[in-house]
CSV table of all heavy atoms in Angstrom, one decimal:
chain,number,residue,atom,x,y,z
Q,184,LYS,N,165.7,-75.3,259.0
Q,184,LYS,CA,164.6,-76.3,259.4
Q,184,LYS,C,163.2,-75.8,259.1
Q,184,LYS,O,162.4,-76.5,258.7
Q,184,LYS,CB,164.8,-76.7,260.9
Q,184,LYS,CG,166.0,-77.6,261.1
Q,184,LYS,CD,166.0,-78.3,262.4
Q,184,LYS,CE,167.1,-79.4,262.4
Q,184,LYS,NZ,167.5,-79.8,263.8
Q,185,GLN,N,163.1,-74.5,259.4
Q,185,GLN,CA,161.8,-73.9,259.1
Q,185,GLN,C,161.5,-73.8,257.6
Q,185,GLN,O,160.4,-74.2,257.2
Q,185,GLN,CB,161.7,-72.4,259.7
Q,185,GLN,CG,160.3,-71.9,259.6
Q,185,GLN,CD,160.2,-70.5,260.2
Q,185,GLN,OE1,161.0,-70.1,261.0
Q,185,GLN,NE2,159.2,-69.8,259.7
Q,186,ALA,N,162.5,-73.5,256.8
Q,186,ALA,CA,162.3,-73.4,255.4
Q,186,ALA,C,162.0,-74.8,254.9
Q,186,ALA,O,161.1,-75.0,254.0
Q,186,ALA,CB,163.5,-72.9,254.7
Q,187,LYS,N,162.6,-75.8,255.4
Q,187,LYS,CA,162.4,-77.2,255.0
Q,187,LYS,C,161.0,-77.7,255.4
Q,187,LYS,O,160.3,-78.4,254.6
Q,187,LYS,CB,163.4,-78.2,255.6
Q,187,LYS,CG,164.8,-78.1,254.8
Q,187,LYS,CD,165.8,-79.0,255.5
Q,187,LYS,CE,167.0,-79.2,254.6
Q,187,LYS,NZ,167.1,-80.6,254.1
Q,188,ALA,N,160.5,-77.2,256.6
Q,188,ALA,CA,159.2,-77.6,257.0
Q,188,ALA,C,158.1,-77.0,256.1
Q,188,ALA,O,157.1,-77.6,255.8
Q,188,ALA,CB,159.0,-77.2,258.5
Q,189,GLU,N,158.4,-75.7,255.7
Q,189,GLU,CA,157.4,-75.0,254.9
Q,189,GLU,C,157.4,-75.5,253.4
Q,189,GLU,O,156.5,-75.4,252.7
Q,189,GLU,CB,157.7,-73.5,254.9
Q,189,GLU,CG,157.3,-72.9,256.2
Q,189,GLU,CD,157.8,-71.4,256.4
Q,189,GLU,OE1,158.3,-70.9,255.4
Q,189,GLU,OE2,157.7,-70.9,257.5
Q,190,HIS,N,158.6,-76.0,253.0
Q,190,HIS,CA,158.8,-76.4,251.6
Q,190,HIS,C,159.4,-77.8,251.6
Q,190,HIS,O,160.6,-77.9,251.2
Q,190,HIS,CB,159.6,-75.4,250.8
Q,190,HIS,CG,159.2,-74.0,250.9
Q,190,HIS,ND1,158.1,-73.5,250.2
Q,190,HIS,CD2,159.6,-73.0,251.8
Q,190,HIS,CE1,158.0,-72.2,250.5
Q,190,HIS,NE2,158.8,-71.9,251.5
Q,191,PRO,N,158.7,-78.8,252.0
Q,191,PRO,CA,159.4,-80.2,252.2
Q,191,PRO,C,159.9,-80.8,250.8
Q,191,PRO,O,160.7,-81.6,250.9
Q,191,PRO,CB,158.2,-81.0,252.8
Q,191,PRO,CG,157.0,-80.3,252.6
Q,191,PRO,CD,157.3,-78.8,252.4
Q,192,ASP,N,159.4,-80.3,249.7
Q,192,ASP,CA,159.8,-80.8,248.4
Q,192,ASP,C,161.0,-80.1,247.8
Q,192,ASP,O,161.4,-80.4,246.7
Q,192,ASP,CB,158.6,-80.9,247.4
Q,192,ASP,CG,157.9,-79.5,247.4
Q,192,ASP,OD1,158.1,-78.7,248.3
Q,192,ASP,OD2,157.1,-79.3,246.5
Q,193,ALA,N,161.5,-79.1,248.5
Q,193,ALA,CA,162.5,-78.2,248.0
Q,193,ALA,C,163.9,-78.7,248.4
Q,193,ALA,O,164.2,-78.6,249.6
Q,193,ALA,CB,162.3,-76.7,248.4
Q,194,PRO,N,164.8,-79.1,247.5
Q,194,PRO,CA,166.2,-79.4,248.0
Q,194,PRO,C,166.9,-78.1,248.5
Q,194,PRO,O,166.6,-77.0,248.0
Q,194,PRO,CB,166.9,-80.0,246.7
Q,194,PRO,CG,166.0,-79.7,245.6
Q,194,PRO,CD,164.6,-79.3,246.1
Q,195,PHE,N,167.8,-78.3,249.4
Q,195,PHE,CA,168.5,-77.2,250.0
Q,195,PHE,C,169.9,-77.2,249.4
Q,195,PHE,O,170.7,-78.2,249.6
Q,195,PHE,CB,168.6,-77.4,251.5
Q,195,PHE,CG,169.5,-76.4,252.2
Q,195,PHE,CD1,169.5,-75.0,251.9
Q,195,PHE,CD2,170.3,-76.8,253.3
Q,195,PHE,CE1,170.3,-74.1,252.6
Q,195,PHE,CE2,171.1,-75.9,253.9
Q,195,PHE,CZ,171.1,-74.6,253.6
Q,196,MET,N,170.3,-76.2,248.6
Q,196,MET,CA,171.6,-76.1,248.0
Q,196,MET,C,172.4,-75.0,248.8
Q,196,MET,O,171.8,-73.9,249.1
Q,196,MET,CB,171.6,-75.8,246.5
Q,196,MET,CG,170.7,-74.7,246.1
Q,196,MET,SD,170.7,-74.6,244.3
Q,196,MET,CE,169.8,-73.1,244.0
Q,197,VAL,N,173.6,-75.2,249.1
Q,197,VAL,CA,174.3,-74.3,250.0
Q,197,VAL,C,175.8,-74.1,249.6
Q,197,VAL,O,176.4,-75.0,249.1
Q,197,VAL,CB,174.1,-74.8,251.5
Q,197,VAL,CG1,174.8,-76.2,251.7
Q,197,VAL,CG2,174.6,-73.8,252.5
Side-chain angles (χ1 to χ4, degrees):
K184 287 196 169 158
Q185 187 178 338
K187 281 180 166 243
E189 286 169 13
H190 309 278
D192 48 344
F195 173 42
M196 52 185 186
V197 67

